[in-house]
């Protein structure tokens, strides 16, 4: 297939192709297929809306119909924000919180220790402050208290005079703790998004679009999105009560930077309302109005227009570091402070904890990988079990979720990593693949009596269990998900949006593609093939990355980087290329190193010609 050239970086594909560029099996073992099956959809969209065909292909490939293109490219909360009251229990929860504010009652928020929990807690704190009220934030310690509400903490809040507790990003499965709180006269409002059982916990109200009796259609929201809708509803209730007569009503749009951060970091699909939240939230983040986020961006070296990538890979891990290996409340404190000096101190502390986290993570990952490889010695590559599960005594529970993600990426299987403590109890974190609902599998294991606690959503789940139950849990979940895993892996494919040449990979092209963003889970970043290029100047960088240059037949060049592949067939082929010709595939990214404004390719796959 001919390459595009500088002014025509993209070449349309024929819809009759069974594979993309004829690649039936790449160096990562995948078949390349065009994401868009019918070229006519893109051609019609491009003509109707007078847009470049490349952008039309990207949009059509993500299921965007021609009728909603304008709204998709220009999302607005004015048109896309639903009435919060469509969520079950939202109206009654908002009325109770508004009444607590109006009557000066003491309210606390009990949040999870991850980014979604920290941002959700910070959202409520900042809103309460804006309406002239106070709010106590309580974040449990990951190791000492574990996930979700616990009775001792709730009773301590009660002793401090708290009358209403709002649990955020947790609480849906906390039957025992909330029952004890209720017995002691503490009203609890749950604002969560994790999967629920038919029996809800004893609470004043449970605001969770994943309740089985909820018809809002908002089940894909992160907790931060649910909490933002709750704030909208509280604000409406206060307005109806006349609270803002003589008071300035807060600008809720200024809270969207926190909503965007929680949404991206919880890896929920960036579709529908989630995409609108992130799109608008990135604009708010760029204004640098949140003192804590500004300090964190400076510490992380974020010196360009923020994108979803920066939320997920620069800011999020640092907010998370406090809950993982430091002090659980640091993230929420940073996101709520108005003091510049305190913000700088907290941001630096979180940055240091993030460095510690990386070292701890590397050690646990090495041990987990060795454990998996030992267990797989007698299996061929196509006989991987449906579930990858590892456990180890003394593993730090703060990094098991990250390591589970690494295992999931490496083996393309749902993966669990379980840290066993000195008492013989394990805390586990799991990550799934598309098409396999891990949250429901964990909920079923809990209902069967295998777990002490557990829950989650389709792509991620957490649990606690006795160490002697690990094997039984593995067997139970493996049987439950086996068919779904098999279906997900029947055709290991890499979907490509189009073709680009080294000379055609420009910042203008990147800006065009980014109109369909922000990209993330559920809204995949466009993938492009760079065909018939010579791989030159390949070298190993860092621990296991590969850097190279892709040179087209016209001599024009494009830098490439492949992450964590040096010891894989893909990495070895690139390192040993010696000027050989390849089809290369990956994602285009901005390259701003030392003030440059170039583009490089994040290499994800290749095939030698």
């Amino acid at each position: 297939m001919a390459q595009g050239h500088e002014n025509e970086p993209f070449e349309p594909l024929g819809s009759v192709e069974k594979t993309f560029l004829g690649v039936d099996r790449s160096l990562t073992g995948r078949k390349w297929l065009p994401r868009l099956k019918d070229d006519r959809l893109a051609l019609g969209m491009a003509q109707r809306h007078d847009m470049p065909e490349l952008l039309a292909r990207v949009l059509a490939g993500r299921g965007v119909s021609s009728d909603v293109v304008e709204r998709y490219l220009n999302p607005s909360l004015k048109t896309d924000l639903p009435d919060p009251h469509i969520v079950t229990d939202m109206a009654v929860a908002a009325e109770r919180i508004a009444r607590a504010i109006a009557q000066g009652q003491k309210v606390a928020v009990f949040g999870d220790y991850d980014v979604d929990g920290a941002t959700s807690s910070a959202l409520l704190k900042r809103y309460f402050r804006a309406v002239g009220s106070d709010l106590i934030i309580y974040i449990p310690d990951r190791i000492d208290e574990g996930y979700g509400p616990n009775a001792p903490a709730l009773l301590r809040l009660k002793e401090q005079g708290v009358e209403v507790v709002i649990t955020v990003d947790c609480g849906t499965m906390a039957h025992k703790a909330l029952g004890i709180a209720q017995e002691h006269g503490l009203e609890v409002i749950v604002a969560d998004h994790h999967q629920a059982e038919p029996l809800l916990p004893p609470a004043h109200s449970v605001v969770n679009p994943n309740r089985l009796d909820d018809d809002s259609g908002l089940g894909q929201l992160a907790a931060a999105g649910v909490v933002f809708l709750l704030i909208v509803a509280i604000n409406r209730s206060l307005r109806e009560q006349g609270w803002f007569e003589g008071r300035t009503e807060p600008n809720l749009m200024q809270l969207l930077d926190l909503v965007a951060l929680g949404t991206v970091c919880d890896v929920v699909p960036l579709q529908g309302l989630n995409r609108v939240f992130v799109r608008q939230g990135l604009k708010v983040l760029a204004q640098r109005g949140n003192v804590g986020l500004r300090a964190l961006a400076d510490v992380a070296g974020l010196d360009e227009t923020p994108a979803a990538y920066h939320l997920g890979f620069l800011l999020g891990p640092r907010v998370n570091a406090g809950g993982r290996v430091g002090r659980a409340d640091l993230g929420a404190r940073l996101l709520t402070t108005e003091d510049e000096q305190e913000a700088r101190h907290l941001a630096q502390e979180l940055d240091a904890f993030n460095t510690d986290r990386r070292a701890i993570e590397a050690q646990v990952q090495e041990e987990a990988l060795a454990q998996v490889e030992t267990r797989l010695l007698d299996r061929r590559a196509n006989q991987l079990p449906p579930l990858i599960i590892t456990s180890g005594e003394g593993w730090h529970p703060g990094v098991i979720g990250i390591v589970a993600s690494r295992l999931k990426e490496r083996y393309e299987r749902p993966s669990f990593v379980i840290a066993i403590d000195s008492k013989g109890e394990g805390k586990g974190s799991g990550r799934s693949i598309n098409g396999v609902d891990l949250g429901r599998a964990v909920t079923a294991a809990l209902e069967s009596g295998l777990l002490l606690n557990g829950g989650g959503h389709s792509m991620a789940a957490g649990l606690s269990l006795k160490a002697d139950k690990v094997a039984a849990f593995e067997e139970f979940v493996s049987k439950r998900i086996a068919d779904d895993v098999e279906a997900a892996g029947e055709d290991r494919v890499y979907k490509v949006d189009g073709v680009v040449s080294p000379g055609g990979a420009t910042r203008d092209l990147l800006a065009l593609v980014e109109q369909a963003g922000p990209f993330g889970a559920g809204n995949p970043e466009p993938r492009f093939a760079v065909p018939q290029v010579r791989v030159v100047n390949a070298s190993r960088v860092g621990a296991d990355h590969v850097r190279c240059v892709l040179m087209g037949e016209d001599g024009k060049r494009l830098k490439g980087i492949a992450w964590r592949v040096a010891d894989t067939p893909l990495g070895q082929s690139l390192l040993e290329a010696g000027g050989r010709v390849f089809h290369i595939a990956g994602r285009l990214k901005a390259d701003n190193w030392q003030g440059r404004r170039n583009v490089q390719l994040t290499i994800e796959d290749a095939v030698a010609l």
Side-chain angles (χ1 to χ4, degrees), residues 37 46 68 84 89 136 144 231 264 295 305 309 314 326 358 406 489 518 524:
K37 300 300 183 183
V68 300
D89 264 8
I136 297 171
D144 294 338
I231 288 172
V264 170
T305 301
Y309 166 83
L314 286 184
R358 285 197 293 263
R406 299 281 186 252

Side-chain angles (χ1 to χ4, degrees), residues 235-255:
N235 203 64
R236 177 192 297 179
S237 186
L238 285 173
R239 187 188 305 123
E240 291 171 350
Q241 294 176 29
W243 178 259
F244 296 117
E245 293 177 9
R247 295 183 176 93
T248 301
E249 189 167 336
N251 180 1
L252 303 187
M253 298 302 102
Q254 292 304 305
L255 298 173

Side-chain angles (χ1 to χ4, degrees), residues 38-361:
D38 187 349
D39 289 338
R40 293 172 297 180
L41 295 175
L43 290 171
M45 184 183 295
Q47 293 171 359
R48 177 176 173 180
H49 296 280
D50 191 24
M51 66 169 58
E53 187 181 332
L54 169 59
L55 179 57
R57 288 193 67 88
V58 171
L59 294 173
R62 280 148 188 78
V64 180
S65 71
S66 191
D67 292 336
V68 300
V69 163
E70 292 300 328
R71 183 171 173 177
Y72 189 87
L73 292 178
N74 300 286
S76 167
L77 284 180
K78 183 177 293 187
T79 56
D80 292 297
L81 187 71
D83 183 343
H85 288 177
I86 66 173
V87 180
T88 303
D89 264 8
M90 180 69 80
V92 65
E95 188 280 328
R96 180 64 187 94
I97 298 169
R99 179 155 44 92
I101 292 172
Q103 295 177 359
Q105 293 180 310
K106 206 166 188 178
V107 182
V109 58
F110 191 110
D112 188 20
Y113 36 64
D114 68 359
V115 180
D116 199 16
T119 52
S120 297
S121 300
L123 281 165
L124 283 167
K125 176 75 172 182
R126 296 185 78 88
Y127 177 74
F128 268 61
R129 183 188 296 154
V131 297
S133 189
D134 192 22
L135 179 75
I136 297 171
I137 291 181
Y138 187 91
I139 307 292
D141 183 89
R142 181 188 292 265
I143 296 176
D144 294 338
E145 298 176 88
Y147 169 78
N150 63 85
L154 292 174
L155 295 183
R156 284 196 299 272
L157 290 172
K158 174 66 176 177
E159 291 171 0
Q160 296 170 26
V162 170
E163 297 182 63
V164 178
V165 171
I166 309 165
T167 72
V168 295
D169 198 27
C170 59
T172 297
M173 304 291 285
H175 296 267
K176 183 177 179 180
L178 298 196
I180 293 173
Q182 186 181 69
E183 291 172 2
H184 286 79
L186 185 62
E187 290 189 272
V188 178
I189 294 168
V190 175
D192 197 6
H193 71 127
H194 291 101
Q195 289 174 349
E197 298 173 320
L199 179 63
L200 295 173
H204 172 276
S205 46
V206 178
V207 181
N208 183 340
N210 282 306
R211 283 175 53 157
L212 299 183
D213 60 347
D214 185 278
D215 298 322
S216 66
L218 297 173
Q220 292 185 332
L221 291 180
V226 174
V227 169
F228 182 79
L229 290 183
L230 177 60
I231 288 172
V232 172
I234 297 168
N235 203 64
R236 177 192 297 179
S237 186
L238 285 173
R239 187 188 305 123
E240 291 171 350
Q241 294 176 29
W243 178 259
F244 296 117
E245 293 177 9
R247 295 183 176 93
T248 301
E249 189 167 336
N251 180 1
L252 303 187
M253 298 302 102
Q254 292 304 305
L255 298 173
L256 289 175
D257 49 2
L258 294 175
V259 181
L261 180 60
T263 298
V264 170
C265 291
D266 218 52
V267 201
V268 292
L270 293 190
Q271 300 170 341
L273 186 56
N274 283 337
R275 179 174 173 270
V276 181
F277 278 150
V278 175
R279 182 80 165 252
Q280 301 302 322
L282 287 170
K283 295 177 183 178
V284 176
L285 181 63
Q287 298 169 6
R288 292 169 59 89
N290 184 302
V291 174
L293 281 175
R294 182 165 69 242
L296 194 64
D298 291 341
V299 164
L302 175 52
D303 57 359
E304 57 186 311
T305 301
Y309 166 83
H310 300 113
L311 297 178
F313 293 95
L314 286 184
L315 303 184
R318 288 168 170 81
V319 173
N320 242 344
R324 290 191 183 280
V325 299
R327 298 200 310 277
D329 66 337
L330 289 183
R333 285 176 56 195
L334 174 72
L335 299 176
T336 56
T337 185
E338 297 291 352
D339 184 287
E340 297 272 2
Q341 185 174 349
E342 181 186 31
R344 285 194 296 272
H345 173 74
L346 290 172
Q348 290 165 359
E349 197 170 1
L350 284 169
D351 189 57
F353 280 132
N354 193 49
T355 300
D356 295 341
R357 185 270 306 167
R358 285 197 293 263
I360 296 169
E361 174 196 330

